[in-house]
Amino acid sequence: MAILKREGNRLIREYDGEKLWIEPWGGSALRVRCTRCYKMDESQDWALLPREGGEAKITIDGQEAAIQNGGITAKIEKSGKVLFYNRQGGLLLEEYLRTEEAVGGFNSLLKVKARDLRPVIGGEYSLTMRFESKRDERLYGMGQYQQSILNLKGATLELAQRNSQASVPFLLSDSGYGFLWNNPAIGRATFGTNLTEWEAKSTQQLDYWICAGDAPAEIVERYSAATGRPPMMPDYATGFWQCKLRYQTQEELLQVAREYKRRGLPLSVIVIDYFHWPNQGTWQFDREYWPDPEGMVRELRELGVELMVSVWPTVDSESPNFPLMLERGLLAQTDRGVRTQMQFLGNETFFDATNPEAREFVWNECKKNYYDYGIRSFWLDAAEPEYSTYDFDLYRYSLGSNLKVGNIYPALYAKAFYDGLRREGEDPLMLIRCAWAGSQRYGTLVWSGDIHSSFESMRDQFAAGLSMSIAGIPWWTTDIGGFNGGDIHDPYFHEVLVRWFQYGAFCPVMRLHGSRLPWKEPLSDKVGGGMCSSGAENEVYSFGGPVYEICKDYMQLRERLRPYVTGLMAEAHKKGTPPMRPMFYDFPHQKEAWETEDQYMFGPDVLVAPVMYHGMRERSVWLPAGREWIDTATGERFAGGQRIVCQAPIERMPVFCSNEALSITIRGSH
C-alpha cells in the first residue's frame, strides 16, 4: 500500500521508492515533483520563483487523495495516477497509465508507466512523463523553433538550444491550462494525437508546474507571476535600431549615425557587432580600430543614439584571460577529447555561466572595458552556447552535465549582466540569441538568430515570435531582412527586406541587421579586431530609392507609435502581457481566432497582417467580431465578424485599428 500524507501545504505519496510531491505554487497552480532518489532535491527551483502564499485544501481517503489550490485540483487515484481538474470539475490533463495496477480504472497489460524514471550510468535517471492526448486540443508556446506552425498539436520538439532555436518549455492549451516543464535537461517533447510525452536525457527528478485559467491572458499572467516578469524596457529601446555584420571601425560607425541624423531619420540604437576586440575572451575594444570609446559614446549620446556592444561567451586559448579562468575553474569542461568547444578565427572554450564566480568575472571585465566608458546595453551573442558540434553529451558545467542542465545556460548568461547592471542602478536590457523559461526576468530581448533572408524564413520567424510570446518572453525581435544570403543589389531581396521591414515596425523591437552580400575584405591579416571580414552596407539608404522611401515611411511610423509601444511594455512589466500575440489571446471566445495563424495583435488595438509571400499584392484578413475596424491606410471602416480581401501594394502592409486616435497616428505615414 502507498503512503499518503500531508506535510504543511504539500500532498505526498510514497510507494516502492517513488516519492511524489504536489503543492500550490502561485494562483490556481500546482508544482509536481517526483523522484526515485532517497531524498527529493529542493536546492533548485529552476525557472520558478520561490513559492508565494495560497493555502491548499488537501483530502486523503484511504489510497486516494486530492489537493485543491484555487481553480485547480489534482487527484491521485489508487494506482498513483494523477489527474487535473478545473474549477468547474472539467478534466484538464491526466497521466497516461497502462498497467494492471489501475484497479478501478482502465486496466492494461502494456506495462507503460506515466512517470518513468530509469537509471542510467553515472547515477542519474532518464525521464519520460506521459499524459493522455486530447485529439482536438490546440497547443501553443514552447519557445522558438524554425517552423511556420503555431498550433503544436502533432509536433515533436527537441528540448535543446541551438543557433535560432530557443527551447522555452511552457505550453498553453485551449482546454484551459498552462504547463511548464521545469527541467533544464536536454530532451524531447511529443504532442501526438495518441500520447503526449516529455523526455529528459539525464535528471534526478520530475518537475513540472501546471495552472488553470478561464482565458489565455489569465494563464499567461499566472505563468509570468510564477517565473518572473521583465523590468520596464528603457525608453531608447522602443525606437529604430541600426545594426549590421559588422562595422569595422569607430569612424565607420559614427559616420552612419551622423548620416541618419543628417537625413532626419529616427535612430535610437546603433550596434557594434563581434570582433571589435583583440581576441575572444578579452572583452574590450581593439584600440587600433576603436581608439576612443568614451568619446564615441559621448558623440552618440549628443546625437540621441544609444550604443550597444556585442559580447561573446567564448574565451580563445590565446586570450590573456584563458589561463586565469582555466586555473580558477571558470570555463566549461569537455568530458572527452580536447577542450576546444568552438572554432571561429581561433580555438575557443565557453565560460561556465552556471558558475556564479564565472558570471562575476565576465561582468567585471565588461564593466571595466565597456560600462565605465558609458555603454549601458549589451548584445549577448552565441548564447545557446553555439558549440561547433552540438554533441550535448560532451560538455559539462559546475551545475552538472550539459545533458542535465544545458538548457538553462542562456538564462544564466543573461543573469550575469542583469545582476551587474542592477548593482549599478541601471534598467537592464540585453539583446540575446537564446532563452529558457524565466529568462524574461533578466531583461532579455531575444532575437531569432542567424536566419535566412527569404520569405520562407520570414514565415518561420512570424510563428516563432508568437510562440515566444505565449511562452512568456515578451521582448522579442528578428534580424529585419534575415541574416544570411541577402544581396543588396538583388530585386528579390529588396522585396523580402521591404515586407520584413513593414512587419518589423510592429514587433516589440524594430531592429535592422544582417550579413549582406557582397562581402568586404578584412582590414588586416593579423590577430585582432581587423582580422574578421564584413558584410555589405545595411543602412536603409543602401538599397536604392524605392526601398529607401518605404523604409523611411515605416521608420517614421514606428517613431509616432513609440508612446503606444511604451504602454505595451508597461503591461509586460506589470502583468507579463506580451506586446505581440496570436489572435486568440484577445478574442478567445471566437473560433476563428484559434484557426487564424497568419495575422496577430500588436497590443489590444492594432491588428497586423504581414505580407509573407513573394509577389503577393493582396491578402485575406479576418476582422474579429465585437469591434469596428479601421484600415489605417485608407481610413475605411469595417464591421467586425467578417473576412475581407485587402489590397497590399509593395509600399503598404495591411494594418487595422479599433482605436480611432491610434489609427490616425499610424495613418500619418501614408
Side-chain angles (χ1 to χ4, degrees), residues 369-425:
N369 296 316
Y370 299 126
Y371 181 87
D372 288 351
Y373 293 127
I375 295 165
R376 300 292 180 262
S377 303
F378 295 91
W379 177 5
L380 308 185
D381 208 344
E384 300 77 22
E386 189 183 7
Y387 307 112
S388 285
T389 302
Y390 288 116
D391 289 333
F392 296 113
D393 64 339
L394 184 56
Y395 312 106
R396 184 171 297 273
Y397 308 116
S398 62
L399 206 54
S401 72
N402 183 62
L403 281 181
K404 182 179 178 182
V405 302
N407 285 334
I408 206 171
Y409 187 101
L412 297 180
Y413 181 18
K415 188 178 188 301
F417 287 76
Y418 175 87
D419 289 345
L421 288 165
R422 274 293 195 215
R423 284 197 299 269
E424 300 299 326

Side-chain angles (χ1 to χ4, degrees), residues 47-49 52 170 180 209 211 216-230 438 440-441 469-474 571-578 585:
L48 293 171
L49 296 172
E52 289 187 1
F170 175 74
L180 168 68
W209 177 94
C211 76
E218 188 175 45
I219 292 168
V220 170
E221 287 171 20
R222 284 179 175 154
Y223 168 63
S224 67
T227 58
R229 290 165 179 160
Q440 69 278 359
R441 64 182 184 247
S469 74
I470 293 300
I473 308 292
E571 286 296 296
H573 172 56
K574 294 174 191 172
K575 299 166 59 179
T577 307
Y585 193 93

Side-chain angles (χ1 to χ4, degrees), residues 583-600:
M583 297 303 296
F584 63 74
Y585 193 93
D586 292 272
F587 306 99
H589 303 300
Q590 300 185 42
K591 181 175 180 289
E592 197 157 0
W594 296 89
E595 298 171 346
T596 300
E597 297 195 350
D598 62 352
Q599 61 186 61
Y600 66 98

Side-chain angles (χ1 to χ4, degrees), residues 509-575:
V509 163
M510 184 184 189
R511 172 177 165 267
L512 178 62
H513 182 55
S515 173
R516 306 295 181 228
L517 301 174
W519 272 65
K520 294 181 176 180
E521 291 300 314
L523 299 178
S524 170
D525 58 0
K526 299 185 300 182
V527 173
M531 70 184 297
C532 187
S533 54
S534 174
E537 287 76 10
N538 192 48
E539 295 70 48
V540 291
Y541 46 80
S542 305
F543 304 102
V547 174
Y548 173 51
E549 292 301 321
I550 296 169
C551 290
K552 185 167 64 172
D553 279 350
Y554 277 84
M555 291 172 70
Q556 292 167 345
L557 184 159
R558 177 67 179 212
E559 192 69 10
R560 294 192 303 275
L561 204 59
R562 286 179 69 179
Y564 180 71
V565 176
T566 298
L568 300 184
M569 293 306 172
E571 286 296 296
H573 172 56
K574 294 174 191 172
K575 299 166 59 179

Side-chain angles (χ1 to χ4, degrees), residues 416-448:
F417 287 76
Y418 175 87
D419 289 345
L421 288 165
R422 274 293 195 215
R423 284 197 299 269
E424 300 299 326
E426 304 290 346
D427 292 325
L429 181 146
M430 278 76 65
L431 181 67
I432 191 168
R433 204 174 65 190
C434 199
W436 192 63
S439 284
Q440 69 278 359
R441 64 182 184 247
Y442 299 127
T444 54
L445 164 61
V446 183
W447 100 96
S448 60

